[in-house]
Amino acid sequence: MINRPYGQHWKGHKGFRVIEGNDVYNHRFGGQEWNAPKCRLCGEDLHQILCFDLKDDRLSELRTSKLEELPLTSCLNCSTLWEPQLFQLNPTTKSVTVLIQNDKEKWIQDEEGKITVPLPYAKFKLIDMLEEDIPVNEDAYYDAFDLFGQEYICRVLGAPLYVNKPNDISCPICNHDMQYVSSITHDFEVDLVSVVDLFLGEMIIYFYFCKECLTLKTEIQGT
């Protein structure tokens, strides 16, 4: 069934694992090359989690003449992350603007547990997904989940590894379908980023992009 988070419909959708390491392209973790706004709840600058170099032909379906790179941003220190967020990207000023942050819980991480802002910089690279990363059936789906967050921190393009397949990924601004970009998770038992201790809890952060509006949307699903 197409609404399941697994099935043969994903077979041709092979994306990439994103891991720490050198690449010809300037894919990176952390840093703050983009001007980040303040989070509306905790007042901290948004984290630039990853930034993808769109000169890389492997990411050609995300490419637009208006944008040379795609920053994945969010606040990792409060409950704004738990609800959908929408950000406007302005490549001329290399800035991010908050359009939507609907926080219900009003939870802010204590000082001792806060993830540093900005995140320390590290070079990252793309490698081809393995066959076991593609959720073509129920067994493969669970196998892929076992690897995600344990062997690598991020999936880009290809088959989204959903807990529950979303019903609507349309852009709130123009109603065009948004492009699935990436998903991120990190288990507390492993060390997939050398420059910072990072634990995202039992959740996956999904990022979607609208080429028409240059908007970036985040959603999470609990694992």
Side-chain angles (χ1 to χ4, degrees):
M1 291 174 61
I2 199 73
N3 286 330
R4 289 178 180 170
Y6 56 83
Q8 281 294 316
H9 55 283
W10 293 128
K11 188 172 178 61
H13 294 261
K14 292 188 177 180
F16 306 93
R17 290 182 171 196
V18 185
I19 63 172
E20 188 167 348
N22 292 322
D23 200 313
V24 174
Y25 299 99
N26 189 25
H27 306 305
R28 56 207 186 266
F29 174 90
Q32 201 172 35
E33 296 91 349
W34 282 71
N35 298 310
K38 302 287 185 185
C39 174
R40 291 178 178 175
L41 175 60
C42 69
E44 299 273 5
D45 288 346
L46 295 184
H47 290 96
Q48 180 178 293
I49 306 171
L50 285 163
C51 194
F52 291 119
D53 184 350
L54 299 184
K55 293 190 291 293
D56 189 338
D57 284 339
R58 293 171 293 182
L59 303 181
S60 60
E61 63 189 271
L62 298 174
R63 194 177 293 156
T64 162
S65 61
K66 303 171 187 174
L67 204 63
E68 295 184 350
E69 58 184 26
L70 183 59
L72 305 186
T73 60
S74 185
C75 180
L76 300 179
N77 283 325
C78 70
S79 54
T80 54
L81 175 62
W82 304 347
E83 298 293 332
Q85 302 172 96
L86 192 71
F87 305 110
Q88 180 74 59
L89 306 181
N90 188 327
T92 304
T93 57
K94 220 168 182 181
S95 61
V96 180
T97 303
V98 176
L99 297 180
I100 298 174
Q101 272 188 329
N102 294 321
D103 178 65
K104 297 176 182 176
E105 300 297 327
K106 308 299 182 188
W107 174 84
I108 299 174
Q109 179 66 270
D110 59 35
E111 288 299 324
E112 184 179 346
K114 278 188 177 179
I115 298 172
T116 183
V117 185
L119 288 164
Y121 169 87
K123 292 183 178 180
F124 266 57
K125 64 181 180 179
L126 310 184
I127 60 173
D128 289 341
M129 281 186 182
L130 307 178
E131 287 297 324
E132 51 263 41
D133 294 327
I134 315 300
V136 293
N137 55 47
E138 189 170 3
D139 287 342
Y141 169 76
Y142 288 110
D143 288 344
F145 254 113
D146 288 343
L147 299 173
F148 186 30
Q150 284 281 338
E151 292 192 357
Y152 62 102
I153 188 174
C154 177
R155 300 165 67 93
V156 62
L157 298 180
L161 196 58
Y162 290 125
V163 180
N164 297 293
K165 195 170 185 294
N167 294 320
D168 180 22
I169 54 170
S170 60
C171 174
I173 305 300
C174 69
N175 290 322
H176 283 85
D177 283 345
M178 301 190 86
Q179 167 77 51
Y180 163 75
V181 175
S182 183
S183 43
I184 295 174
T185 193
H186 195 296
D187 197 291
F188 69 93
E189 296 176 344
V190 295
D191 185 12
L192 301 176
V193 184
S194 64
V195 292
V196 68
D197 289 331
L198 187 67
F199 173 53
L200 298 179
E202 296 179 348
M203 71 176 77
I204 299 174
I205 310 171
Y206 299 89
F207 292 88
Y208 303 92
F209 177 56
C210 177
K211 287 185 180 181
E212 301 295 324
C213 301
L214 298 187
T215 52
L216 183 75
K217 183 180 180 182
T218 75
E219 290 188 343
I220 70 154
Q221 292 184 9
T223 58

